[in-house]
Amino acid sequence: MPDIIGELRRNQLITTFSTGAIVDLSDYSVMVSGLDFWPASNLEYITESRLQRFLDVSGFRQPRPSENAFGRGTEDGGIPCMRFPRYVFCSICRRLAPFDTFGGGNKGIYCERCREDDPEGARLIPTRFVLCCRRGHIDDFPWQWWIGCNCERHRLIIKNEGVSTSLSSIIVSCDRCEAERTMADVFNPESFRGFTCSGGRPWLKDEQPCDQPVVVLQRSATSVHFPNTVSAISIPPYSKSAYKKVEELWGTAHLDILDENTVKTILNRIAEAEKRSPNDLWEAYLDRKGESQRESSVDLKEAEYSVLKDPIDFDEEDDFVAEPESVPSDFSKLIETVVLVKKLRVVTALTGFNRIEPNRDRYAPIKTSSIGWLPATEVLGEGIFLALSQDAVKNWLRQNSVVIQDRVKWVESRRKQLAARNRMISHEIVTPEFILLHSLSHLLIRTLTINCGYSTSALQERIYAAKPNDGQETMLGLLIFTAASDSEGSLGGLVQQGKQTRFESTLLEALEQSRWCSSDPLCIESKGQGMDSLNLGACHSCALLPETACETMNSFLDRGIVTGTPEHPKLGYFSEGRSWQ
């Protein structure tokens, strides 16, 4: 049996600590391996037909919860990983070298020579610096090159001299040639001018040619790994209990290769044994059979928006159960629909990752072979959906067109500048509708988390915003739902907060909080704050959320679009003539 060296929640293996990420454990610093090395025996098969067609894969896999650990092996040992960075140093003798040169092999967590005198103190500590490039490659820091050492049999020492913790106090030297240098300039780009990337992909155990410049990062920095994920909500017919039953039989009973008469006989027997409707099973079979003929480029959100905005009666056994709720009377002219989503299923798949900067157009691969599946997780939870009034939004845009466009144009210009540098936070043009819905979503989540029993990180948003000139029905909605993969995802507290009286109170409180921030006037008058200056009136004191809760990494936010600014108090969609003022 391979060694089990740590544990993670399986949703972390799709996001924070997915393939290619560095994980700091008690005894090791490791990198999660690529899909080529994930053992099939430790994976569960999950499906989400719309997402499969969108990503052009045969299905998804997630680690089994009972084996929610990872180790160095590749068979029956959780999710495999490898030691990274390879360079470590002894806490006693301060020798700096690859971990396998200290004795103890792969299991070594001690300097065997120093351990003779201090059995518990001679621990090996992973080095804190790594080299990355924008194509996703990563490698150990070039210690010998950094100090100018050319010794074939070098012996590197790293020590900290002085009373401060600054980089200038960290000195790396060679005992053989006495070459020496501090780490003071390690983050200066000029220090690595002309040094090109090695093309290392340790998570795939290979290298590839690369001519990109390198960037030095600390191994635990968030910029070492930006996961790229795509998610979809299960909606009818895929969320129906009959469809789930057919999906279950598709592989086990080989319904895909049987003739229709035989399939009908099998389904009739199942319907009789489980007291189901044979017609429902047959319709589900036809839906499943016709999937291959459907377009793979289907827009995930447009289909979801249609179902969320106009829900119909659903079976309690389905993965999607929703019902309309009365809109608070004070907001009936501004909000068209409120829907309580009592049950929903969200599947999130990992497609790749970035280093240094996020880029949704180009990302590092998580596999090398022709594996037809992707890693994913599914969560069952609840949510609140609301859609704004089409007429009210049009009137708001017309009455404040100049001021709104000036604010939105500034944010869109920043997005274009990032796109020119191949840093794609979002593919879509930033619109007033998106900023309005996105900012309102953040304000609501911050207020809901106080009352609904969920932590902020347990909630997530999904924005359905108008797309310019797409010729389709204008989307003007947002969904706030639970995103936890454990029992916290189905407490029922979020749906209760969506009831008319409670939701009115929540919305009033969120808007009141929007009108004033403890960082005002600097916050509301800002012309670019947050990551890459992609926000206007939004900061940690008023509108930002944990990045796992936000669709766009806390970007494209502005309280002024929601409730106005001191200079333009009637600018906000919720500014004028409302009882909450």
Side-chain angles (χ1 to χ4, degrees):
M1 287 286 293
D3 297 323
I4 302 299
I5 61 174
E7 295 184 351
L8 291 174
R9 295 175 65 171
R10 57 182 178 178
N11 66 325
Q12 290 180 304
L13 285 168
I14 307 301
T15 53
T16 312
F17 299 122
S18 59
T19 292
I22 297 176
V23 186
D24 283 323
L25 304 174
S26 58
D27 294 326
Y28 302 96
S29 175
V30 300
M31 179 175 290
V32 181
S33 298
L35 305 189
D36 307 64
F37 311 103
W38 287 29
S41 59
N42 192 39
L43 302 176
E44 293 178 340
Y45 181 75
I46 60 176
T47 63
E48 168 39 52
S49 298
R50 294 191 312 122
L51 190 58
Q52 287 169 213
R53 295 199 308 274
F54 184 79
L55 297 175
D56 193 23
V57 294
S58 60
F60 305 106
R61 305 287 191 277
Q62 66 177 353
R64 297 184 188 278
S66 60
E67 298 288 347
N68 196 17
F70 52 81
R72 286 188 294 272
T74 59
E75 296 179 0
D76 302 321
I79 301 304
C81 60
M82 70 286 298
R83 294 274 292 263
F84 189 87
R86 292 183 65 249
Y87 270 78
V88 297
F89 64 91
C90 173
S91 57
I92 294 179
C93 69
R94 311 298 293 185
R95 178 186 166 210
L96 174 65
F99 67 86
D100 52 5
T101 64
F102 286 86
N106 286 337
K107 298 180 181 180
I109 59 175
Y110 297 99
C111 175
E112 295 299 323
R113 179 176 299 179
C114 296
R115 196 180 184 188
E116 295 177 0
D117 299 324
D118 189 347
E120 296 300 325
R123 298 185 71 87
L124 299 179
I125 302 173
T127 55
R128 59 191 282 195
F129 304 109
V130 293
L131 288 186
C132 302
C133 86
R134 286 175 171 78
R135 290 180 179 171
H137 302 135
I138 190 169
D139 206 347
D140 278 278
F141 187 84
W143 298 100
Q144 194 175 357
W145 175 89
W146 177 253
I147 65 174
C149 170
N150 296 314
C151 300
E152 291 186 8
R153 301 185 62 184
H154 58 274
R155 188 176 187 274
L156 302 183
I157 302 295
I158 185 169
K159 52 189 176 181
N160 195 321
E161 294 189 350
V163 295
S164 73
T165 58
S166 65
L167 293 174
S168 60
S169 297
I170 302 176
I171 301 174
V172 182
S173 60
C174 174
D175 272 0
R176 309 295 186 193
C177 66
E178 299 184 354
E180 183 179 277
R181 187 176 181 180
T182 73
M183 304 301 293
D185 298 323
V186 70
F187 294 121
N188 185 346
E190 294 298 319
S191 298
F192 284 84
R193 181 175 293 277
F195 191 102
T196 56
C197 176
S198 66
R201 302 193 298 181
W203 69 97
L204 297 176
K205 299 182 180 180
D206 70 1
E207 294 181 353
Q208 60 179 195
C210 184
D211 58 358
Q212 292 290 304
V214 295
V215 174
V216 179
L217 297 174
Q218 298 197 60
R219 74 169 192 275
S220 57
T222 56
S223 52
V224 169
H225 184 270
F226 292 100
N228 189 72
T229 60
V230 182
S231 62
I233 297 174
S234 294
I235 58 175
Y238 315 109
S239 60
K240 305 291 288 183
S241 60
Y243 188 93
K244 290 190 293 180
K245 187 62 182 179
V246 169
E247 187 67 59
E248 177 186 328
L249 295 167
W250 198 259
T252 58
H254 304 292
L255 299 188
D256 53 331
I257 61 176
L258 298 177
D259 63 88
E260 291 191 352
N261 289 332
T262 304
V263 171
K264 188 169 292 187
T265 300
I266 294 174
L267 296 181
N268 286 339
R269 289 176 180 174
I270 292 174
E272 183 178 354
E274 299 184 1
K275 296 181 179 180
R276 293 175 176 269
S277 167
N279 289 335
D280 288 348
L281 289 175
W282 180 248
E283 290 178 4
Y285 165 75
L286 294 178
D287 281 329
R288 179 62 178 86
K289 186 178 180 180
E291 281 182 15
S292 58
Q293 282 75 46
R294 295 181 182 146
E295 292 292 332
S296 61
S297 60
V298 62
D299 189 293
L300 295 174
K301 286 190 173 181
E302 285 183 5
E304 294 171 8
Y305 182 76
S306 298
V307 173
L308 286 165
K309 188 178 178 183
D310 187 22
I312 59 176
D313 293 333
F314 299 101
D315 192 312
E316 291 297 325
E317 294 182 359
D318 295 350
D319 280 337
F320 184 91
V321 179
E323 65 178 29
E325 177 64 19
S326 299
V327 177
S329 56
D330 285 346
F331 299 95
S332 58
K333 294 182 179 180
L334 301 179
I335 298 175
E336 181 178 332
T337 305
V338 175
V339 175
L340 305 181
V341 186
K342 297 182 176 180
K343 187 177 179 182
L344 81 164
R345 172 179 179 260
V346 182
V347 176
T348 302
L350 175 73
T351 60
F353 64 89
N354 295 114
R355 304 201 194 278
I356 305 173
E357 295 175 337
N359 187 334
R360 294 184 180 274
D361 277 346
R362 186 181 68 189
Y363 41 84
I366 55 178
K367 58 183 181 179
T368 58
S369 63
S370 57
I371 295 175
W373 55 270
L374 289 174
T377 58
E378 60 178 350
V379 295
L380 299 176
E382 56 177 326
I384 302 173
F385 171 81
L386 67 86
L388 301 182
S389 166
Q390 303 276 341
D391 292 338
V393 169
K394 290 178 182 177
N395 291 335
W396 168 67
L397 291 172
R398 183 171 58 251
Q399 294 170 6
N400 301 276
S401 60
V402 175
V403 181
I404 290 174
Q405 291 302 326
D406 283 347
R407 295 181 74 84
V408 175
K409 188 182 297 183
W410 198 97
V411 177
E412 171 61 11
S413 67
R414 286 291 301 148
R415 188 195 70 84
K416 286 183 177 179
Q417 291 173 16
L418 293 173
R421 292 165 40 200
N422 290 322
R423 178 165 180 167
M424 298 295 293
I425 301 296
S426 172
H427 292 285
E428 306 293 347
I429 296 174
V430 180
T431 63
E433 294 91 337
F434 180 85
I435 294 181
L436 169 62
L437 289 163
H438 192 207
S439 303
L440 177 61
S441 172
H442 277 231
L443 295 168
L444 284 172
I445 289 177
R446 288 173 65 99
T447 305
L448 282 167
T449 193
I450 299 173
N451 303 316
C452 71
Y454 294 108
S455 62
T456 310
S457 59
L459 299 181
Q460 194 167 325
E461 67 182 2
R462 198 159 174 85
I463 308 300
Y464 301 89
K467 298 179 182 179
N469 304 318
D470 62 0
Q472 303 293 325
E473 177 188 3
T474 300
M475 296 190 295
L476 290 172
L478 64 90
L479 172 68
I480 298 171
F481 62 96
T482 53
S485 57
D486 53 18
S487 59
E488 188 181 9
S490 55
L491 294 175
L494 188 56
V495 164
Q496 290 301 314
Q497 292 301 317
K499 298 289 186 180
Q500 183 182 22
T501 304
R502 291 184 178 180
F503 187 65
E504 182 175 23
S505 175
T506 297
L507 185 53
L508 288 171
E509 184 178 349
L511 296 176
E512 186 64 33
Q513 294 294 328
S514 172
R515 298 181 66 191
W516 183 84
C517 169
S518 59
S519 296
D520 281 343
L522 294 178
C523 177
I524 195 63
E525 294 178 358
S526 170
K527 292 299 182 182
Q529 59 181 324
M531 186 178 71
D532 292 314
S533 301
L534 286 169
N535 294 328
L536 296 179
C539 69
H540 282 286
S541 299
C542 60
L544 301 193
L545 298 173
E547 287 188 356
T548 54
C550 177
E551 278 196 328
T552 58
M553 301 180 67
N554 277 323
S555 302
F556 314 124
L557 297 165
D558 180 19
R559 289 185 294 123
I561 291 291
V562 180
T563 52
T565 67
E567 186 179 0
H568 301 284
K570 296 183 179 181
L571 167 66
Y573 182 73
F574 291 92
S575 286
E576 189 174 2
R578 305 300 165 222
S579 61
W580 58 269
Q581 285 187 309

